[in-house]
Amino acid sequence: MAKTPDASRRSDRSRRAILDAALALVGEVGYNKLTIEAIAARAGVGKQTIYRWWPSKAAVLLEASLSLAGDAAEEGGWSFPDTGDLAADLKQVLRATVDEFNDEKYDAPTRALTAAGATDPELGARFTEKLLEPQLALYEQRLRSAREAGQIAEDADLRLSVEMLVGPLTYRWLMRTAPLTHAFTDALVDRVLRGLAPH
Amino acid sequence: MAKTPDASRRSDRSRRAILDAALALVGEVGYNKLTIEAIAARAGVGKQTIYRWWPSKAAVLLEASLSLAGDAAEEGGWSFPDTGDLAADLKQVLRATVDEFNDEKYDAPTRALTAAGATDPELGARFTEKLLEPQLALYEQRLRSAREAGQIAEDADLRLSVEMLVGPLTYRWLMRTAPLTHAFTDALVDRVLRGLAPH
């Protein structure tokens, strides 16, 4: 029997409420203490509603994080600009990432999941595969197009180059060793591109 | 009353046993589930022996990590070489860090504490101040001496330069995005120094 439009709308609303509840709660209590029961209570649905769609809290959070990344992409965060000006494009993306990390809505769940993935290899591998690698691939693609255009050295290792951009930013964010600012990521891009300049 | 030599030796042995137990356990169960009771049981001492010396598990772990870093320094890991050859010195230190991260004895507790510090700002601040910043300061000092010798650009931001070295390494280690090898850190040093070359 096909769902009625009303049932489908209710279903969409429930899914969204569950994902939002999962993100809010993981930021508040951390991954280890998060339970399906708490997500259900916060979302105002029954536990069985969650288990009908997802097998585990890891699965809920993975989809919640993907939807968060998707929201960011719609706001221009993860679609990778290619204006032909490599420095400007990288600065734009890293500034958007700084803004996300400085926004409690993104910071708390992302921090909790990064910490959980760092100590749980299986969880970490799933998040890396589904969330992180697709983002790294967008950076790599942008750098490849710059290399083909002769804007960076032919012998530049693209993966290493991406890590030189995201690594220092992630480090400063996770370790809180210094403020996360646009000035910081702008200077980082300039310095990295100096190291990647054609011979 | 002064301690007898025997009591002092017993005391040293107990302290060492407590620190070793704390490091082993935090790697096994993570920071959140670690208890003073479990450390005492593993070390073969009473709970009160631990509380006599440290007010909390965070304090035990901080000292344990400092002693681990101290052991590594004695093995050449954290004393910073200054042979005059900046690239060689940086490669030596980063290779030693790779070896530590690839050694379960260092990896498990360091990973557990990094994850705990990432989500607990107060704990993170203590570990950053006591453990991380002193290490970053050694890098900065080495780069400053290179800058004074005219080996890197006069306008090089030393803190940013350090983050360009330790950030990508920490990222690859925590996120497990690719194998941690000497070839990786050697290539990183070469690329970073290219970006820092004098004009």
Side-chain angles (χ1 to χ4, degrees), chain B residues 103-118:
Chain B
D103 177 349
E104 182 65 14
K105 190 181 89 188
Y106 292 90
D107 170 71
T110 311
R111 187 176 285 281
L113 288 169
T114 302

Side-chain angles (χ1 to χ4, degrees), chain B residues 107-186:
Chain B
D107 170 71
T110 311
R111 187 176 285 281
L113 288 169
T114 302
T119 49
D120 177 337
E122 202 188 325
L123 182 72
R126 290 178 63 184
F127 278 93
T128 295
E129 181 199 341
K130 299 289 184 188
L131 267 173
L132 223 50
E133 285 293 351
Q135 293 173 1
L136 298 178
L138 291 179
Y139 277 92
E140 234 178 278
Q141 196 176 5
R142 181 65 190 86
L143 288 169
R144 183 171 294 111
S145 103
R147 196 173 62 181
E148 282 162 8
Q151 295 166 346
I152 65 175
E154 273 178 41
D155 67 350
D157 176 328
L158 298 182
R159 172 48 72 115
L160 177 66
S161 306
V162 174
E163 290 174 306
M164 288 173 69
L165 293 164
V166 301
L169 172 54
T170 306
Y171 185 89
R172 198 182 266 214
W173 166 62
L174 273 183
M175 310 298 193
R176 299 190 186 85
T177 40
L180 279 187
T181 63
H182 291 180
F184 162 60
T185 47
D186 284 1

Side-chain angles (χ1 to χ4, degrees), chain B residues 8 25 38 60 62 79 86 92 102 142 146 161-162 178 183 193-194:
Chain B
S8 175
L25 280 167
V60 181
L62 183 59
S79 68
L86 178 63
Q92 184 189 325
N102 284 328
R142 181 65 190 86
S161 306
V162 174
L193 289 186
R194 198 158 175 262

Side-chain angles (χ1 to χ4, degrees), chain A residues 111 114-115 117-119 128 132 136 155-156 160 163-164 168 170-172 174-176 184 188 191 194-195 197 199, chain B residues 111 114-115 117-119 121 128 132 136 155-156 160 163-164 168 170-172 174-176 184 191 194-195 197 199:
Chain A
R111 188 177 284 281
T114 302
T119 49
T128 296
L132 223 49
L136 298 179
D155 68 350
L160 177 65
E163 290 173 306
M164 288 172 69
T170 306
Y171 184 90
R172 198 182 266 213
L174 273 182
M175 310 298 191
R176 299 189 184 85
F184 161 61
L188 175 63
R191 190 56 75 181
R194 197 158 177 262
H199 300 273
Chain B
R111 187 176 285 281
T114 302
T119 49
T128 295
L132 223 50
L136 298 178
D155 67 350
L160 177 66
E163 290 174 306
M164 288 173 69
T170 306
Y171 185 89
R172 198 182 266 214
L174 273 183
M175 310 298 193
R176 299 190 186 85
F184 162 60
R191 190 58 74 183
R194 198 158 175 262
H199 300 275

